[in-house]
Structure formats: C-alpha cells, structure tokens
Amino acid sequence: QKEVEQDPGPLSVPEGAIVSLNCTYSNSAFQYFMWYRQYSRKGPELLMYTYSSGNKEDGRFTAQVDKSSKYISLFIRDSQPSDSATYLCAMSIYTGANSKLTFGKGITLSVRP
Amino acid sequence: DTGVSQNPRHKITKRGQNVTFRCDPISEHNRLYWYRQTLGQGPEFLTYFQNEAQLEKSRLLSDRFSAERPKGSFSTLEIQRTEQGDSAMYLCASSFSGGTGELFFGEGSRLTVL
C-alpha cells in the first residue's frame, strides 16, 4: 500500500461545476498537506497549504483536512476551463527544516466549456 | 525571472550515455530538492541539499545517479550509463528552511533514453 492514495481519474466536468478531489494517507506522522496543480509538461505549482484539520479557503478553492480519518480533499467551485490540469496532493512530516514531500499520483481534470 | 530554472528542458540520449541536468534555485532558498516523475505518477523524492550538504538520498537513487551542489547555489544531477527506465521528468525544487517549507518547482528536465 502506498503512503498516499489519490482517487483515480481522469475527471471531466462541465464549466461551472463543483469539483471534489480526494486523497487518503496511511502515515499518521504526516502533518502538513498541500495541493499542487500541474499543467501539461510543466512543473507543479503550489495551490493550497494547510497543517491543521478543518477547512482553508482561497478564492474558488477550499482545502479540507481530516486527520482522524487520514483524508484530505480539494474543492473547486465554479470550475473554469483554465482549471484543466493535473492535481497532486502532497504531504510531509516536517516543515521548514525538512519538507520532503510525498505525492499522490495525481488526477487529471478537464473542464468542458 | 526569479523562479527555479532547469536546463536542458529536454534531453534525448542513447542508452549507455551519460547525461547531466542543472538546476538554479530561487536565490534566497537554501534547500534544493530533486524529484523524478514518470508518466501518470506523482513526483518521487530523490535527494535534497541544505546549502552544499546532501542530507538525504532516496533508495531510488542508484549508484548511477549523483547529485552535487558545490557552492550551495546551483545543483547538477548526473545519470551515468543511462537505461530506458531512466526516461522521466526530473524536477528540481527549492525552499527556505526558515519558512513553512513550501517547495517551489522548476519546469523540469525531460529525459528520453532510446
């Protein structure tokens, strides 16, 4: 079993839909949770970063963490064609001094106009 | 451009040849990471440096792989005697150890081994 599992894709939604992306993890030592967006043939870019259970909102994006269930989610409201990309969840045990990340395999999202 | 810079962006080589990739991190970042990403998978950690010291290497990093960061600024990743299984995107990232640890990635160097 991998340390981080991400819902398989691909996922295709119409413009304006609410998108839910999910990851589960097995290592209870993970304390810091991130979502990265990766466009085709580009490097990942950080979307959201959180370290506590609960919700964190940034514009159309909401990151949710449930440490008791070892489950994290990313919600995208009013999805746009420009949101079409691969979304990667990532986690780390430490921050600052040692922020080696463990990634999920990613899910490819396509938002249809 | 003050982001992480990687060169070359794409390298095609024949099996058995050596290749070297370069990464220039964000200037104020003292931590530098190398990750490998194959098609349909998330990035996998290879190694990281704090300043010039290589602090951790993954078991994925076989003896054919070597990374250096001689002056604590840019880094190189060399793969000797390349194999077809080395074909992947090699991603470099940097961070500041005094911050939250957020990693900023470059656009990657894609290796194709024929």
Side-chain angles (χ1 to χ4, degrees):
Chain A
Q1 181 190 8
K2 286 197 167 186
E3 283 190 293
V4 180
E5 299 278 2
Q6 189 164 357
D7 284 353
L11 184 61
S12 180
V13 301
E15 183 175 354
I18 296 174
V19 176
S20 172
L21 309 174
N22 307 298
C23 287
T24 57
Y25 61 97
S26 57
N27 188 348
S28 58
F30 286 135
Q31 297 294 324
Y32 303 92
F33 306 92
M34 286 137 277
W35 286 93
Y36 280 82
R37 178 174 61 195
Q38 186 174 26
Y39 291 111
S40 181
R41 298 187 178 273
K42 300 287 188 182
E45 58 177 330
L46 182 67
L47 267 181
M48 300 284 288
Y49 176 98
T50 184
Y51 53 86
S52 58
S53 283
N55 294 351
K56 181 178 181 181
E57 191 172 317
D58 184 1
R60 296 185 295 109
F61 298 90
T62 299
Q64 185 176 81
V65 173
D66 183 346
K67 289 186 180 180
S68 62
S69 302
K70 300 192 183 68
Y71 188 91
I72 70 170
S73 299
L74 178 70
F75 298 96
I76 307 174
R77 290 184 300 280
D78 187 26
S79 55
Q80 302 295 309
S82 59
D83 295 328
S84 298
T86 295
Y87 290 80
L88 299 152
C89 61
M91 308 177 188
S92 67
I93 296 173
Y94 306 105
T95 188
N98 178 354
S99 51
K100 181 180 73 174
L101 300 181
T102 302
F103 284 86
K105 66 186 298 182
I107 183 169
T108 298
L109 171 67
S110 175
V111 181
R112 308 185 302 273
Chain B
D1 186 5
T2 57
V4 178
S5 176
Q6 292 190 247
N7 288 288
R9 293 292 314 280
H10 192 188
K11 178 73 175 180
I12 301 172
T13 191
K14 293 182 179 180
R15 189 176 54 186
Q17 298 295 304
N18 299 344
V19 297
T20 299
F21 300 114
R22 175 178 169 128
C23 172
D24 288 90
I26 293 171
S27 58
E28 60 266 30
H29 287 178
N30 58 345
R31 287 192 163 246
L32 186 148
Y33 299 76
W34 285 99
Y35 283 78
R36 180 171 66 189
Q37 186 176 26
T38 54
L39 197 63
Q41 301 296 317
E44 293 178 298
F45 170 79
L46 292 179
T47 187
Y48 84 88
F49 295 82
Q50 176 157 316
N51 301 315
E52 65 274 12
Q54 188 172 19
L55 297 186
E56 188 174 343
K57 294 197 307 184
S58 165
R59 290 171 298 170
L60 294 174
L61 214 63
S62 77
D63 291 344
R64 298 183 297 104
F65 288 70
S66 63
E68 293 183 344
R69 195 183 183 197
K71 297 183 180 179
S73 56
F74 73 91
S75 176
T76 58
L77 177 69
E78 181 184 18
I79 308 173
Q80 296 182 325
R81 305 181 302 282
T82 53
E83 302 173 355
Q84 287 186 324
D86 297 332
S87 296
M89 174 81 89
Y90 290 86
L91 292 162
C92 177
S94 69
S95 71
F96 176 56
S97 63
T100 58
E102 297 172 33
L103 267 60
F104 295 84
F105 282 86
E107 297 202 330
S109 293
R110 181 172 298 278
L111 174 64
T112 301
V113 182
L114 303 176

mmCIF file of all heavy atoms in Angstrom, chain A residues 55-87:
data_model
loop_
_atom_site.group_PDB
_atom_site.id
_atom_site.type_symbol
_atom_site.label_atom_id
_atom_site.label_comp_id
_atom_site.label_asym_id
_atom_site.label_seq_id
_atom_site.Cartn_x
_atom_site.Cartn_y
_atom_site.Cartn_z
ATOM 1 N N ASN A 55 -11.085 23.311 7.371
ATOM 2 C CA ASN A 55 -11.147 23.869 6.025
ATOM 3 C C ASN A 55 -10.287 25.116 5.904
ATOM 4 O O ASN A 55 -10.171 25.906 6.838
ATOM 5 C CB ASN A 55 -12.595 24.227 5.664
ATOM 6 C CG ASN A 55 -13.479 23.014 5.548
ATOM 7 O OD1 ASN A 55 -13.005 21.883 5.580
ATOM 8 N ND2 ASN A 55 -14.768 23.243 5.448
ATOM 9 N N LYS A 56 -9.719 25.283 4.727
ATOM 10 C CA LYS A 56 -8.997 26.506 4.384
ATOM 11 C C LYS A 56 -9.442 26.945 3.013
ATOM 12 O O LYS A 56 -9.417 26.140 2.076
ATOM 13 C CB LYS A 56 -7.488 26.271 4.405
ATOM 14 C CG LYS A 56 -6.673 27.518 4.077
ATOM 15 C CD LYS A 56 -5.196 27.231 4.166
ATOM 16 C CE LYS A 56 -4.366 28.463 3.858
ATOM 17 N NZ LYS A 56 -2.912 28.177 3.929
ATOM 18 N N GLU A 57 -9.870 28.183 2.910
ATOM 19 C CA GLU A 57 -10.436 28.673 1.659
ATOM 20 C C GLU A 57 -9.525 29.714 1.028
ATOM 21 O O GLU A 57 -8.925 30.543 1.711
ATOM 22 C CB GLU A 57 -11.814 29.283 1.942
ATOM 23 C CG GLU A 57 -12.631 29.608 0.721
ATOM 24 C CD GLU A 57 -14.047 30.032 1.077
ATOM 25 O OE1 GLU A 57 -14.660 29.399 1.949
ATOM 26 O OE2 GLU A 57 -14.513 31.021 0.499
ATOM 27 N N ASP A 58 -9.435 29.644 -0.299
ATOM 28 C CA ASP A 58 -8.677 30.648 -1.049
ATOM 29 C C ASP A 58 -9.375 30.834 -2.384
ATOM 30 O O ASP A 58 -9.188 30.052 -3.309
ATOM 31 C CB ASP A 58 -7.236 30.185 -1.255
ATOM 32 C CG ASP A 58 -6.378 31.244 -1.947
ATOM 33 O OD1 ASP A 58 -6.897 32.345 -2.239
ATOM 34 O OD2 ASP A 58 -5.189 30.978 -2.203
ATOM 35 N N GLY A 59 -10.207 31.868 -2.471
ATOM 36 C CA GLY A 59 -10.944 32.122 -3.695
ATOM 37 C C GLY A 59 -11.896 30.979 -3.995
ATOM 38 O O GLY A 59 -12.713 30.592 -3.157
ATOM 39 N N ARG A 60 -11.764 30.397 -5.159
ATOM 40 C CA ARG A 60 -12.664 29.307 -5.549
ATOM 41 C C ARG A 60 -12.215 27.948 -4.997
ATOM 42 O O ARG A 60 -12.872 26.939 -5.222
ATOM 43 C CB ARG A 60 -12.741 29.234 -7.073
ATOM 44 C CG ARG A 60 -13.360 30.458 -7.725
ATOM 45 C CD ARG A 60 -13.524 30.284 -9.232
ATOM 46 N NE ARG A 60 -12.250 30.158 -9.935
ATOM 47 C CZ ARG A 60 -11.791 29.033 -10.483
ATOM 48 N NH1 ARG A 60 -12.503 27.925 -10.427
ATOM 49 N NH2 ARG A 60 -10.629 29.026 -11.120
ATOM 50 N N PHE A 61 -11.094 27.929 -4.320
ATOM 51 C CA PHE A 61 -10.519 26.672 -3.836
ATOM 52 C C PHE A 61 -10.691 26.540 -2.312
ATOM 53 O O PHE A 61 -10.477 27.489 -1.577
ATOM 54 C CB PHE A 61 -9.025 26.604 -4.176
ATOM 55 C CG PHE A 61 -8.741 26.634 -5.651
ATOM 56 C CD1 PHE A 61 -8.542 27.830 -6.317
ATOM 57 C CD2 PHE A 61 -8.684 25.454 -6.377
ATOM 58 C CE1 PHE A 61 -8.289 27.858 -7.678
ATOM 59 C CE2 PHE A 61 -8.432 25.474 -7.745
ATOM 60 C CZ PHE A 61 -8.237 26.676 -8.393
ATOM 61 N N THR A 62 -11.072 25.331 -1.888
ATOM 62 C CA THR A 62 -11.160 25.018 -0.463
ATOM 63 C C THR A 62 -10.425 23.713 -0.210
ATOM 64 O O THR A 62 -10.712 22.709 -0.872
ATOM 65 C CB THR A 62 -12.612 24.884 0.005
ATOM 66 O OG1 THR A 62 -13.293 26.117 -0.203
ATOM 67 C CG2 THR A 62 -12.672 24.507 1.480
ATOM 68 N N ALA A 63 -9.481 23.744 0.711
ATOM 69 C CA ALA A 63 -8.777 22.527 1.112
ATOM 70 C C ALA A 63 -9.357 22.066 2.442
ATOM 71 O O ALA A 63 -9.583 22.865 3.351
ATOM 72 C CB ALA A 63 -7.286 22.792 1.250
ATOM 73 N N GLN A 64 -9.599 20.778 2.525
ATOM 74 C CA GLN A 64 -10.182 20.190 3.730
ATOM 75 C C GLN A 64 -9.284 19.066 4.212
ATOM 76 O O GLN A 64 -8.826 18.238 3.417
ATOM 77 C CB GLN A 64 -11.568 19.645 3.400
ATOM 78 C CG GLN A 64 -12.353 19.097 4.581
ATOM 79 C CD GLN A 64 -13.742 18.668 4.136
ATOM 80 O OE1 GLN A 64 -13.923 17.588 3.600
ATOM 81 N NE2 GLN A 64 -14.713 19.533 4.349
ATOM 82 N N VAL A 65 -9.030 19.045 5.505
ATOM 83 C CA VAL A 65 -8.182 18.013 6.091
ATOM 84 C C VAL A 65 -8.915 17.370 7.259
ATOM 85 O O VAL A 65 -9.467 18.075 8.111
ATOM 86 C CB VAL A 65 -6.842 18.598 6.599
ATOM 87 C CG1 VAL A 65 -6.041 17.544 7.351
ATOM 88 C CG2 VAL A 65 -6.024 19.153 5.447
ATOM 89 N N ASP A 66 -8.933 16.059 7.269
ATOM 90 C CA ASP A 66 -9.495 15.292 8.387
ATOM 91 C C ASP A 66 -8.417 14.323 8.849
ATOM 92 O O ASP A 66 -8.263 13.240 8.296
ATOM 93 C CB ASP A 66 -10.754 14.563 7.946
ATOM 94 C CG ASP A 66 -11.425 13.807 9.082
ATOM 95 O OD1 ASP A 66 -10.784 13.618 10.157
ATOM 96 O OD2 ASP A 66 -12.569 13.379 8.920
ATOM 97 N N LYS A 67 -7.659 14.732 9.849
ATOM 98 C CA LYS A 67 -6.536 13.909 10.299
ATOM 99 C C LYS A 67 -7.016 12.625 10.969
ATOM 100 O O LYS A 67 -6.338 11.598 10.914
ATOM 101 C CB LYS A 67 -5.644 14.693 11.265
ATOM 102 C CG LYS A 67 -4.837 15.801 10.588
ATOM 103 C CD LYS A 67 -3.887 16.425 11.580
ATOM 104 C CE LYS A 67 -3.067 17.519 10.939
ATOM 105 N NZ LYS A 67 -2.125 18.147 11.884
ATOM 106 N N SER A 68 -8.182 12.661 11.588
ATOM 107 C CA SER A 68 -8.658 11.446 12.264
ATOM 108 C C SER A 68 -8.983 10.353 11.267
ATOM 109 O O SER A 68 -8.802 9.169 11.538
ATOM 110 C CB SER A 68 -9.879 11.764 13.137
ATOM 111 O OG SER A 68 -10.951 12.238 12.336
ATOM 112 N N SER A 69 -9.430 10.742 10.088
ATOM 113 C CA SER A 69 -9.747 9.776 9.030
ATOM 114 C C SER A 69 -8.624 9.633 8.025
ATOM 115 O O SER A 69 -8.733 8.830 7.093
ATOM 116 C CB SER A 69 -11.028 10.189 8.299
ATOM 117 O OG SER A 69 -12.106 10.287 9.190
ATOM 118 N N LYS A 70 -7.567 10.446 8.179
ATOM 119 C CA LYS A 70 -6.438 10.442 7.234
ATOM 120 C C LYS A 70 -6.954 10.665 5.817
ATOM 121 O O LYS A 70 -6.705 9.874 4.892
ATOM 122 C CB LYS A 70 -5.641 9.144 7.331
ATOM 123 C CG LYS A 70 -5.028 8.882 8.700
ATOM 124 C CD LYS A 70 -4.030 7.735 8.615
ATOM 125 C CE LYS A 70 -3.463 7.393 9.959
ATOM 126 N NZ LYS A 70 -4.472 6.786 10.873
ATOM 127 N N TYR A 71 -7.613 11.800 5.661
ATOM 128 C CA TYR A 71 -8.321 12.074 4.410
ATOM 129 C C TYR A 71 -8.212 13.561 4.139
ATOM 130 O O TYR A 71 -8.435 14.381 5.032
ATOM 131 C CB TYR A 71 -9.788 11.677 4.627
ATOM 132 C CG TYR A 71 -10.670 11.702 3.412
ATOM 133 C CD1 TYR A 71 -10.826 10.552 2.640
ATOM 134 C CD2 TYR A 71 -11.387 12.847 3.062
ATOM 135 C CE1 TYR A 71 -11.667 10.546 1.551
ATOM 136 C CE2 TYR A 71 -12.215 12.841 1.961
ATOM 137 C CZ TYR A 71 -12.366 11.698 1.211
ATOM 138 O OH TYR A 71 -13.194 11.689 0.116
ATOM 139 N N ILE A 72 -7.843 13.925 2.905
ATOM 140 C CA ILE A 72 -7.832 15.336 2.536
ATOM 141 C C ILE A 72 -8.573 15.511 1.228
ATOM 142 O O ILE A 72 -8.640 14.585 0.407
ATOM 143 C CB ILE A 72 -6.406 15.927 2.433
ATOM 144 C CG1 ILE A 72 -5.646 15.376 1.221
ATOM 145 C CG2 ILE A 72 -5.610 15.649 3.709
ATOM 146 C CD1 ILE A 72 -4.344 16.125 0.953
ATOM 147 N N SER A 73 -9.127 16.689 1.039
ATOM 148 C CA SER A 73 -9.897 16.986 -0.165
ATOM 149 C C SER A 73 -9.579 18.394 -0.657
ATOM 150 O O SER A 73 -9.183 19.265 0.124
ATOM 151 C CB SER A 73 -11.399 16.898 0.115
ATOM 152 O OG SER A 73 -11.772 15.607 0.521
ATOM 153 N N LEU A 74 -9.769 18.572 -1.935
ATOM 154 C CA LEU A 74 -9.711 19.899 -2.549
ATOM 155 C C LEU A 74 -11.007 20.101 -3.306
ATOM 156 O O LEU A 74 -11.378 19.259 -4.140
ATOM 157 C CB LEU A 74 -8.529 20.023 -3.510
ATOM 158 C CG LEU A 74 -8.417 21.373 -4.226
ATOM 159 C CD1 LEU A 74 -8.004 22.477 -3.247
ATOM 160 C CD2 LEU A 74 -7.420 21.299 -5.392
ATOM 161 N N PHE A 75 -11.700 21.207 -3.006
ATOM 162 C CA PHE A 75 -12.930 21.532 -3.707
ATOM 163 C C PHE A 75 -12.667 22.757 -4.594
ATOM 164 O O PHE A 75 -12.044 23.722 -4.158
ATOM 165 C CB PHE A 75 -14.054 21.849 -2.717
ATOM 166 C CG PHE A 75 -14.394 20.687 -1.821
ATOM 167 C CD1 PHE A 75 -13.837 20.592 -0.555
ATOM 168 C CD2 PHE A 75 -15.247 19.682 -2.256
ATOM 169 C CE1 PHE A 75 -14.133 19.518 0.282
ATOM 170 C CE2 PHE A 75 -15.549 18.603 -1.437
ATOM 171 C CZ PHE A 75 -14.990 18.524 -0.167
ATOM 172 N N ILE A 76 -13.154 22.673 -5.807
ATOM 173 C CA ILE A 76 -13.057 23.790 -6.733
ATOM 174 C C ILE A 76 -14.483 24.209 -7.089
ATOM 175 O O ILE A 76 -15.257 23.406 -7.634
ATOM 176 C CB ILE A 76 -12.302 23.415 -8.021
ATOM 177 C CG1 ILE A 76 -10.930 22.804 -7.688
ATOM 178 C CG2 ILE A 76 -12.120 24.653 -8.911
ATOM 179 C CD1 ILE A 76 -10.184 22.275 -8.908
ATOM 180 N N ARG A 77 -14.814 25.451 -6.756
ATOM 181 C CA ARG A 77 -16.150 25.972 -7.084
ATOM 182 C C ARG A 77 -16.109 26.683 -8.424
ATOM 183 O O ARG A 77 -15.067 27.210 -8.829
ATOM 184 C CB ARG A 77 -16.608 26.954 -6.003
ATOM 185 C CG ARG A 77 -16.925 26.337 -4.672
ATOM 186 C CD ARG A 77 -17.464 27.395 -3.714
ATOM 187 N NE ARG A 77 -16.494 28.463 -3.496
ATOM 188 C CZ ARG A 77 -15.476 28.344 -2.655
ATOM 189 N NH1 ARG A 77 -15.287 27.229 -1.976
ATOM 190 N NH2 ARG A 77 -14.640 29.352 -2.504
ATOM 191 N N ASP A 78 -17.260 26.704 -9.108
ATOM 192 C CA ASP A 78 -17.365 27.433 -10.370
ATOM 193 C C ASP A 78 -16.166 27.121 -11.265
ATOM 194 O O ASP A 78 -15.413 28.019 -11.696
ATOM 195 C CB ASP A 78 -17.456 28.942 -10.093
ATOM 196 C CG ASP A 78 -17.733 29.754 -11.340
ATOM 197 O OD1 ASP A 78 -18.331 29.198 -12.288
ATOM 198 O OD2 ASP A 78 -17.326 30.928 -11.378
ATOM 199 N N SER A 79 -15.954 25.842 -11.537
ATOM 200 C CA SER A 79 -14.779 25.427 -12.291
ATOM 201 C C SER A 79 -14.736 26.088 -13.673
ATOM 202 O O SER A 79 -15.774 26.326 -14.308
ATOM 203 C CB SER A 79 -14.744 23.907 -12.410
ATOM 204 O OG SER A 79 -15.943 23.427 -12.972
ATOM 205 N N GLN A 80 -13.523 26.387 -14.096
ATOM 206 C CA GLN A 80 -13.278 27.068 -15.354
ATOM 207 C C GLN A 80 -12.411 26.196 -16.258
ATOM 208 O O GLN A 80 -11.622 25.376 -15.761
ATOM 209 C CB GLN A 80 -12.552 28.392 -15.093
ATOM 210 C CG GLN A 80 -13.284 29.342 -14.173
ATOM 211 C CD GLN A 80 -14.589 29.815 -14.801
ATOM 212 O OE1 GLN A 80 -14.601 30.281 -15.947
ATOM 213 N NE2 GLN A 80 -15.678 29.682 -14.063
ATOM 214 N N PRO A 81 -12.506 26.378 -17.572
ATOM 215 C CA PRO A 81 -11.626 25.608 -18.469
ATOM 216 C C PRO A 81 -10.146 25.768 -18.118
ATOM 217 O O PRO A 81 -9.365 24.826 -18.300
ATOM 218 C CB PRO A 81 -11.942 26.197 -19.845
ATOM 219 C CG PRO A 81 -13.364 26.631 -19.738
ATOM 220 C CD PRO A 81 -13.507 27.157 -18.329
ATOM 221 N N SER A 82 -9.773 26.922 -17.572
ATOM 222 C CA SER A 82 -8.371 27.140 -17.190
ATOM 223 C C SER A 82 -7.952 26.298 -15.982
ATOM 224 O O SER A 82 -6.760 26.205 -15.673
ATOM 225 C CB SER A 82 -8.133 28.620 -16.879
ATOM 226 O OG SER A 82 -8.985 29.041 -15.827
ATOM 227 N N ASP A 83 -8.924 25.666 -15.319
ATOM 228 C CA ASP A 83 -8.603 24.759 -14.209
ATOM 229 C C ASP A 83 -8.186 23.382 -14.719
ATOM 230 O O ASP A 83 -7.775 22.520 -13.931
ATOM 231 C CB ASP A 83 -9.814 24.592 -13.277
ATOM 232 C CG ASP A 83 -10.200 25.880 -12.560
ATOM 233 O OD1 ASP A 83 -9.295 26.690 -12.271
ATOM 234 O OD2 ASP A 83 -11.407 26.063 -12.309
ATOM 235 N N SER A 84 -8.322 23.163 -16.021
ATOM 236 C CA SER A 84 -7.948 21.866 -16.596
ATOM 237 C C SER A 84 -6.451 21.637 -16.410
ATOM 238 O O SER A 84 -5.621 22.376 -16.939
ATOM 239 C CB SER A 84 -8.312 21.823 -18.086
ATOM 240 O OG SER A 84 -9.699 21.962 -18.265
ATOM 241 N N ALA A 85 -6.119 20.622 -15.634
ATOM 242 C CA ALA A 85 -4.727 20.343 -15.270
ATOM 243 C C ALA A 85 -4.719 19.050 -14.463
ATOM 244 O O ALA A 85 -5.758 18.460 -14.198
ATOM 245 C CB ALA A 85 -4.144 21.487 -14.434
ATOM 246 N N THR A 86 -3.528 18.649 -14.060
ATOM 247 C CA THR A 86 -3.391 17.525 -13.126
ATOM 248 C C THR A 86 -3.225 18.081 -11.718
ATOM 249 O O THR A 86 -2.438 19.006 -11.511
ATOM 250 C CB THR A 86 -2.188 16.643 -13.500
ATOM 251 O OG1 THR A 86 -2.428 16.038 -14.775
ATOM 252 C CG2 THR A 86 -1.966 15.540 -12.466
ATOM 253 N N TYR A 87 -3.966 17.528 -10.782
ATOM 254 C CA TYR A 87 -3.925 17.985 -9.393
ATOM 255 C C TYR A 87 -3.265 16.902 -8.545
ATOM 256 O O TYR A 87 -3.670 15.742 -8.570
ATOM 257 C CB TYR A 87 -5.327 18.303 -8.895
ATOM 258 C CG TYR A 87 -5.868 19.550 -9.554
ATOM 259 C CD1 TYR A 87 -6.403 19.492 -10.835
ATOM 260 C CD2 TYR A 87 -5.782 20.795 -8.922
ATOM 261 C CE1 TYR A 87 -6.849 20.638 -11.472
ATOM 262 C CE2 TYR A 87 -6.238 21.941 -9.550
ATOM 263 C CZ TYR A 87 -6.764 21.855 -10.823
ATOM 264 O OH TYR A 87 -7.200 23.002 -11.459
#
